[in-house]
Amino acid sequence: MVCNDAMRKLVAMWMLAGLAWWPLAQAQDVAQAEGLLKKSGCMKCHALSAKKEGPSFKDTAAKYKGKPDGVAAVTRQITASPKMKIDGREELHDALKTKNEAEIKNVVAYILSR
């Protein structure tokens, strides 16, 4: 009986983990995401696939692929203005220039789908 309960919990966890990609599969407004990233100044330090001062969106997507906290981590990064170490010095990471939850989710989905 204990084995069956443990097996059911394990299967349930794997099923939930498998759904972690689901928000990324939803339709994105690419033009809106790219426009907001440019307006917010993100493209000065980030690019789609080339490393600049910051990691590329492709590298960010690869880093968080399959991780259950990926969406939360990227959301925190682009909205909380954390301090970052760049070339040995601390620098404030600017937040997106929006508080609109739908726009933020769209940008996160855009970054993680690259």
Side-chain angles (χ1 to χ4, degrees), residues 28-40 42-43 57 96 102-111 113-114:
Q28 302 160 24
D29 184 340
V30 172
Q32 184 271 337
E34 289 176 347
L36 183 53
L37 287 165
K38 287 176 186 168
K39 173 183 161 189
S40 300
C42 302
M43 304 311 285
F57 297 143
L96 282 179
E103 290 178 342
I104 294 168
K105 286 181 181 181
N106 186 56
V107 169
V108 170
Y110 173 83
I111 292 170
S113 68
R114 299 297 105 194

Side-chain angles (χ1 to χ4, degrees), residues 53 82-91:
E53 276 189 64
K83 287 194 176 187
M84 307 294 301
K85 283 233 182 212
I86 301 173
D87 296 330
R89 67 186 192 289
E90 280 197 356
E91 193 172 300

